[in-house]
Amino acid sequence: MTTVSPSSNAIELLQSQSLTTLVQHELERQIMAGELMPGAKLNEIEVAGRLGVSRGPVREAFRALEEAGLLRTEKNRGVFVRVVSLQEAEEIYELRAVLDEYVGRTLAERITIDQLNGLREIVEAMHAANRSGDAEAYYRLNLSFHEAMVAAVGNRKLLETYRGLVKELNLFRHEALTASAEAAPASEREHREIVSAIASRDSERAAQVVREHVERGRARMRQARGQRTGEPGAGRE
């Protein structure tokens, strides 16, 4: 029996796609962690050299991240980490509040014990991060908590939509949770309230608590933005 080997072109394509994905994930991680700040210019050659890949995968990763709303390309200027305006962030928060309210209500009605325990474990890890003063770990756990909530609903399209919103909001949310010593402890208390409300099986209470959490997060975002830019009224609700 003759075995047909894939062509060298096919192998190169698979390798290129794999490298593109790796580069995309690494750049996304750096953006989500605040290592690449809004407005930062990305140089294709520099990124390729730093990550040890050719320029092709970097170019494709740039395109994918632009489609995801994390990068923008300016003609004759280059590629930059996208700057989300305060107005855009406000609009995304409004949409996220609606989605999270639905998630809270739905989970109160049908969350499993294992899923509930998973949320509790994340909150305890958030508490440990707060006690150790690890703001970056807390921020990552905060993202994990909300993604776990949405994933528990079991709606793939909802999860995809939520992830897209989170990526666009990330730069504001990261700043809001790391700019003030009081922000993370307040956020932790709110997450405990969310778990308690969901565990109570009271769907209306859960929806309300989750929506209030999003609104408080929006207020923290406004305050952090105002502290950084001096924009009048940015810290007020």
Side-chain angles (χ1 to χ4, degrees):
M1 180 177 178
T2 302
T3 302
V4 179
S5 299
S7 68
S8 60
N9 287 340
I11 293 175
E12 290 174 3
L13 177 61
L14 289 171
Q15 290 175 334
S16 174
Q17 288 177 333
S18 177
L19 285 176
T20 296
T21 301
L22 291 173
V23 172
Q24 179 182 341
H25 286 172
E26 174 58 18
L27 290 176
E28 183 174 310
R29 183 198 67 76
Q30 292 177 15
I31 294 171
M32 297 288 278
E35 296 173 18
L36 290 173
M37 298 301 291
K41 185 175 182 178
L42 301 184
N43 181 281
E44 190 178 288
I45 297 175
E46 186 277 329
V47 171
R50 178 160 50 85
L51 298 181
V53 299
S54 63
R55 294 172 63 181
V58 174
R59 191 177 306 117
E60 292 302 315
F62 281 178
R63 290 174 185 163
L65 291 171
E66 185 170 14
E67 290 178 2
L70 294 181
L71 299 181
R72 76 177 192 282
T73 300
E74 295 186 10
K75 189 175 182 180
N76 300 323
R77 292 198 63 219
V79 178
F80 299 83
V81 177
R82 183 179 166 214
V83 177
V84 178
S85 70
L86 183 59
Q87 180 178 349
E88 287 179 291
E90 292 279 4
E91 291 174 353
I92 296 170
Y93 262 107
E94 287 180 5
L95 180 55
R96 191 186 151 215
V98 173
L99 292 180
D100 277 10
E101 185 175 354
Y102 166 78
V103 169
R105 180 180 289 108
T106 302
L107 292 186
E109 294 171 352
R110 65 185 195 215
I111 194 170
T112 67
I113 295 299
D114 286 344
Q115 289 169 337
L116 191 59
N117 287 338
L119 293 179
R120 287 175 172 142
E121 288 175 4
I122 296 175
V123 171
E124 291 310 314
M126 294 168 86
H127 177 66
N130 266 336
R131 290 191 63 183
S132 65
D134 192 339
E136 294 301 327
Y138 183 87
Y139 178 71
R140 291 191 296 272
L141 289 163
N142 179 56
L143 293 178
S144 297
F145 179 90
H146 288 283
E147 174 144 336
M149 280 183 61
V150 179
V153 173
N155 185 314
R156 182 175 58 83
K157 279 306 200 181
L158 175 64
L159 183 58
E160 289 177 3
T161 300
Y162 180 81
R163 283 173 173 166
L165 293 175
V166 165
K167 288 176 183 178
E168 290 191 85
L169 270 181
N170 172 72
L171 298 171
F172 278 101
R173 295 175 70 202
H174 183 276
E175 186 176 45
L177 281 175
T178 58
S180 167
E182 293 78 26
S187 172
E188 181 193 329
R189 288 192 297 272
E190 292 164 22
H191 285 84
R192 289 189 183 278
E193 290 172 2
I194 290 172
V195 173
S196 176
I198 291 173
S200 74
R201 303 293 178 177
D202 185 333
S203 59
E204 291 308 312
R205 179 187 169 217
Q208 179 182 350
V209 169
V210 172
R211 187 176 187 91
E212 288 174 351
H213 170 65
V214 175
E215 291 301 325
R216 289 169 184 154
R218 177 195 273 186
R220 284 189 285 268
M221 175 271 292
R222 290 171 178 162
Q223 183 176 15
R225 172 83 175 197
Q227 290 173 346
R228 181 169 63 85
T229 66
E231 293 177 1
R236 296 197 301 267
E237 291 211 300

